[in-house]
Amino acid sequence: MKDKNRIANGQLIFGDIGERDKMSFSDLYDSALSNAPPNTGDLITFTGIVRNTSSESAKSVEYLVVEAWNEGAFIMEAIARKIFERHSLTLCYIYHLTGTLKIGDPIVYVVLGSEHREEGFEALRDIILLYKKDAPVWKKEVYSDGTGRWISAAGSSES
């Protein structure tokens, strides 16, 4: 697991998984802004947040417990690299949060740089679909009735 100090000056691709105290949206965005090459015409951001509904159950979600495989940072970096190359981005950062997350808490941050916004918006859609399919994270939905259920976030349509 990396931390906010691991985004090197000039780094164009970054992917990681970790606790909120390791990386905030501001940390990621500020790094992207300072590392964006001069041909960057936009920075497009996305923050996924925890919601109280589930695609796995009709019960109301109270909070999530999110865990990740220890080597997950390498997969998140590979996801960022794939999208960076596929869409000829100028910059691609993604960070998935772990731990106990309440309704309304962020669960994933994405910052993409592109020369033109059309490329960036298309890349944003693709990176969300790809991390939903491949990110090595698991979520336990804890419901308002006190029960819970572990679900794999990979392959899920849920944030």
Side-chain angles (χ1 to χ4, degrees):
M1 193 177 317
K2 303 171 192 171
D3 63 31
K4 60 188 169 192
N5 298 321
R6 294 282 312 261
I7 300 179
N9 186 24
Q11 186 169 348
L12 302 180
I13 299 170
F14 176 82
D16 202 0
I17 297 173
E19 298 284 335
R20 189 179 348 201
D21 64 341
K22 299 284 185 187
M23 180 78 65
S24 70
F25 175 79
S26 294
D27 296 328
L28 200 66
Y29 183 80
D30 291 347
S31 293
L33 195 56
S34 66
N35 288 332
N39 63 326
T40 301
D42 56 70
L43 289 178
I44 295 173
T45 65
F46 172 81
T47 303
I49 60 173
V50 178
R51 63 178 184 257
N52 70 346
T53 59
S54 168
S55 59
E56 302 286 325
S57 171
K59 296 179 180 182
S60 179
V61 176
E62 190 75 20
Y63 63 92
L64 294 180
V65 177
V66 181
E67 294 184 358
W69 177 48
N70 287 339
E71 303 301 319
F74 297 111
I75 294 172
M76 295 302 282
E77 186 105 3
I79 289 169
R81 182 168 305 286
K82 182 180 246 180
I83 297 300
F84 178 85
E85 292 170 355
R86 181 185 297 165
H87 292 278
S88 301
L89 296 174
T90 61
L91 180 137
C92 186
Y93 292 175
I94 184 169
Y95 188 79
H96 201 293
L97 286 91
T98 59
T100 300
L101 304 174
K102 301 177 296 194
I103 303 307
D105 282 350
I107 192 168
V108 65
Y109 307 130
V110 177
V111 181
L112 305 176
S114 61
E115 287 189 41
H116 305 285
R117 66 183 174 273
E118 294 83 11
E119 299 160 342
F121 285 121
E122 185 178 328
L124 179 61
R125 178 174 163 66
D126 283 357
I127 198 168
I128 292 168
L129 292 173
L130 189 59
Y131 96 76
K132 288 288 195 178
K133 182 171 111 359
D134 293 348
V137 297
W138 294 266
K139 300 185 292 188
K140 181 178 184 181
E141 294 179 333
V142 178
Y143 306 113
S144 55
D145 66 4
T147 63
R149 178 179 174 179
W150 281 101
I151 59 173
S152 170
S156 161
S157 63
E158 182 163 342
S159 294

